[in-house]
């Protein structure tokens, strides 16, 4: 079995790394937080003092951090992954970041003869712990085939979506569509309920009509219309407003860099920002329905 | 069988009225256009010279016209439906109009002891001809039960959604959610494709993820990704830009009258207007994807 490295043991990364250890992979890990490092070491992993040290001890380095600057920080510089990697080795960045940063890192890696794939995930921490994430992988097909068995340890659905960078692009394109569909569904419910319709009837009709969507089936913004909606539990996440705002920020950043106007995407980003201003950053992103309701004079429910 | 009246024999109404004649109902009809009147008379209906004359000969009057002013015009005045109706008779307005106008007509009818239901439909002319429309009915439950067998002649799914006016409200709420979800999906595809993703891969990933929706399954904006999308055939409708723009106009009008800000709904309305300005009024509304693409510098396909 290949020697693996794993950098970034947060809410998601810790579960993913633990699954690799359980599957029997020799794993070298790094994180600045001592607690998850101790937990991984207890499970059988080896701790390293820097990203570079992880790279020196691994054939494949997996990274799972929270932002584009974090990825740049762990990849570049004297203590970075690229400084420690040997030619022919592989980087798999599973962070959700700006695809333009992905391409920059991939180009720097290629200069050193190192292959890179981007493999961002869908799914909350429980799916990371269970190894049932969805993983969208960008990179050469032969590289994908070579690494598939490793990714299968962490994910239930592992899809090859194109060249390096395309994992990020496809994931973000999906989240853009989902977030805007959410705004549409929330406005539809606001309009209907304010004009006297029963939310349960709205749900029933939309479910059978052109308004149906994944967000409708999971995030009706009024309590107790459907089971499992965050609205049933004061918008407990789910997928937080902070994370959706981060994804929309990445989308708009990549879009601006390539001159893609996204009118509805921009509006959605601002609604997420309003939700953060209202103190809802750690609630489920469907709490933007409450912002939309408040603009229409609805009291907090 | 009840004596029925039918006013408004356009693309939709003609097929609906023909189905009522075929089902054996005695039917009095009216339209300003001679051709559909002749066709209905040939099929066994009786022509009347005015909405009032229809009402004088009917226990239940069904109306199917294109706008709120049309409904007011046929209902009110000396030649109007209300002038000709007897106490205890019933109006079923199947037009898609401003729910505030619906309530105004219903109030005027109630003053004369006449009951009213609003029963707007979903589905294009072929479904009107086949009697397979979806019909969303607002009105008293006992009235709905009493008229259900008549509505069943025209529709496959006939749903009672609340008091009078709620048919319009629920239908428009659904269309609002659908149109905005469309914009989201189109922006998602634009973002993905401009940054290098394959539209087929985007469709595959979104279908299995949070971006899934009825609009995704019917209106992918790039040709030959899914069967049946209007984009495969230069955006032949489907449901036209003009009609979707009309529905968004009704939504925003009702929303303004009741102080409901609809940020994404307004934006979507403007995109539909841009599509009309580009000469796409009679194309499927998903042609707004082309407007969104053109803003990003994409050539016409």
């Amino acid at each position: 079995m290949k020697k693996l490295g794993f950098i970034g043991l947060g809410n998601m990364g810790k579960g993913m790394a633990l699954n690799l250890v359980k599957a029997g992979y020799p794993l070298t890990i790094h994180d600045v937080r001592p607690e998850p490092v101790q937990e991984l070491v207890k499970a059988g992993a080896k701790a390293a003092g820097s990203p570079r040290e992880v790279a020196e001890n691994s054939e494949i380095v997996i990274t799972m951090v929270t932002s584009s600057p974090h990825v740049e920080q762990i990849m570049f510089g004297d203590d970075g992954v690229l400084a420690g990697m040997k030619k022919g080795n592989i980087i798999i960045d599973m962070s959700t970041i700006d695809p333009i940063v992905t391409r920059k890192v991939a180009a720097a890696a290629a200069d050193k003869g190192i292959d890179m794939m981007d493999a961002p995930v869908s799914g909350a921490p429980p799916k990371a712990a269970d190894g049932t994430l969805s993983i969208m992988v960008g990179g050469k097909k032969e590289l994908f085939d070579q690494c598939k068995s490793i990714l299968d340890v962490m994910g239930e659905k592992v899809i090859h979506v194109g060249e390096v960078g395309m994992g990020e692009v496809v994931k973000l394109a999906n989240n853009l569509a989902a977030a805007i569909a959410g705004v549409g569904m929330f406005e539809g419910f606001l309009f209907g309920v304010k004009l006297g319709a029963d939310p349960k009837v709205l749900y029933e009709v939309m479910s059978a009509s052109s308004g149906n969507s994944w967000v409708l089936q999971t995030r009706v913004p009024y309590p107790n219309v459907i089971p499992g909606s965050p609205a049933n539990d004061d918008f407990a996440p789910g997928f937080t407003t902070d994370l959706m705002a981060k994804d929309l920020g990445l989308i708009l950043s990549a879009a601006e860099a390539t001159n893609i106007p996204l009118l509805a995407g921009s509006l959605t980003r601002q609604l997420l920002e309003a939700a953060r201003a209202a103190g809802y950053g750690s609630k489920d992103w469907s709490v933007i329905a409450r912002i939309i309701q408040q603009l229409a004079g609805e009291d907090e429910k």
Side-chain angles (χ1 to χ4, degrees), chain A residues 219-278:
Chain A
R219 275 167 172 80
V220 169
Y222 292 84
N224 305 320
V225 175
I226 56 167
S229 177
N232 300 352
D233 188 20
D234 193 27
F235 295 98
F239 187 65
T240 66
T241 300
D242 282 340
L243 284 172
M244 188 62 104
K246 176 202 150 190
D247 282 4
L248 267 286
L250 292 171
I251 290 161
L252 292 175
S253 160
E256 271 177 36
T258 47
N259 303 132
I260 307 173
L262 296 174
L263 303 181
S266 300
L267 172 58
T268 301
R269 178 72 177 83
Q270 302 311 314
L271 290 170
L272 288 161
E273 210 51 54
R276 298 173 86 193

Side-chain angles (χ1 to χ4, degrees), chain A residues 89-128:
Chain A
N89 284 354
I90 300 169
I91 296 171
I92 306 177
D93 180 32
M94 303 188 71
S95 318
T96 295
I97 64 164
D98 186 335
I100 293 168
V101 173
T102 299
R103 288 177 188 175
K104 180 178 155 190
V105 174
D111 283 346
K112 297 195 62 176
I114 296 158
D115 272 315
M116 175 161 162
M117 298 199 295
D118 63 320
V121 307
S122 264
K127 293 205 166 189

Side-chain angles (χ1 to χ4, degrees), chain A residues 63-113:
Chain A
T63 54
M64 182 65 178
V65 296
T66 53
S67 70
S68 305
H70 275 102
V71 169
E72 295 190 273
Q73 191 187 324
I74 60 175
M75 295 295 178
F76 298 123
D78 284 350
D79 272 341
V81 168
L82 290 177
M85 287 199 96
K86 289 166 212 68
K87 197 173 161 171
N89 284 354
I90 300 169
I91 296 171
I92 306 177
D93 180 32
M94 303 188 71
S95 318
T96 295
I97 64 164
D98 186 335
I100 293 168
V101 173
T102 299
R103 288 177 188 175
K104 180 178 155 190
V105 174
D111 283 346
K112 297 195 62 176

Side-chain angles (χ1 to χ4, degrees), chain A residues 2-284:
Chain A
K2 293 267 187 196
K3 289 192 292 173
L4 304 184
F6 202 107
I7 299 168
L9 304 168
N11 288 333
M12 298 291 291
K14 194 179 74 175
M16 295 158 71
L18 279 169
N19 284 329
L20 291 171
V21 175
K22 281 182 212 156
Y25 285 98
L27 189 71
T28 304
I29 53 157
H30 177 72
D31 195 292
V32 287
R33 291 159 288 200
E35 299 83 2
V37 170
Q38 281 157 20
E39 197 175 333
L40 261 294
V41 167
K42 220 164 143 183
K46 206 176 86 180
S50 69
R52 177 183 184 143
E53 200 185 319
V54 171
E56 286 166 349
N57 288 281
S58 311
E59 293 159 281
I60 299 176
V61 174
I62 299 168
T63 54
M64 182 65 178
V65 296
T66 53
S67 70
S68 305
H70 275 102
V71 169
E72 295 190 273
Q73 191 187 324
I74 60 175
M75 295 295 178
F76 298 123
D78 284 350
D79 272 341
V81 168
L82 290 177
M85 287 199 96
K86 289 166 212 68
K87 197 173 161 171
N89 284 354
I90 300 169
I91 296 171
I92 306 177
D93 180 32
M94 303 188 71
S95 318
T96 295
I97 64 164
D98 186 335
I100 293 168
V101 173
T102 299
R103 288 177 188 175
K104 180 178 155 190
V105 174
D111 283 346
K112 297 195 62 176
I114 296 158
D115 272 315
M116 175 161 162
M117 298 199 295
D118 63 320
V121 307
S122 264
K127 293 205 166 189
D130 292 351
T132 55
L133 295 164
S134 292
I135 307 178
M136 286 144 277
V137 189
K140 290 179 203 143
K141 183 61 167 61
E142 64 268 28
L143 211 57
F144 172 78
D145 293 338
Q146 191 184 329
C147 298
K148 175 107 185 349
S149 56
I150 296 164
L151 295 167
D152 281 339
V153 171
M154 296 177 280
E156 189 172 56
K157 265 189 294 188
V158 178
I159 314 170
H160 183 239
V161 297
E163 291 305 303
V164 65
M166 286 306 112
E168 304 293 351
V169 166
V170 166
K171 180 189 169 176
L172 293 174
N174 175 73
N175 284 11
L176 177 61
I180 298 171
V183 172
M185 191 263 287
F186 305 149
E187 286 198 358
F189 268 81
L190 173 67
F191 176 84
V193 170
K194 284 283 273 187
L195 289 172
D198 179 336
K200 289 199 165 81
V201 170
L202 283 169
Y203 169 75
E204 187 196 343
V205 169
M206 282 191 200
S207 286
S209 310
S210 54
N212 195 24
S213 63
W214 184 90
V215 290
L216 176 69
Q217 297 306 327
T218 61
R219 275 167 172 80
V220 169
Y222 292 84
N224 305 320
V225 175
I226 56 167
S229 177
N232 300 352
D233 188 20
D234 193 27
F235 295 98
F239 187 65
T240 66
T241 300
D242 282 340
L243 284 172
M244 188 62 104
K246 176 202 150 190
D247 282 4
L248 267 286
L250 292 171
I251 290 161
L252 292 175
S253 160
E256 271 177 36
T258 47
N259 303 132
I260 307 173
L262 296 174
L263 303 181
S266 300
L267 172 58
T268 301
R269 178 72 177 83
Q270 302 311 314
L271 290 170
L272 288 161
E273 210 51 54
R276 298 173 86 193
Y280 301 153
S282 59
K283 292 191 182 292
D284 187 78

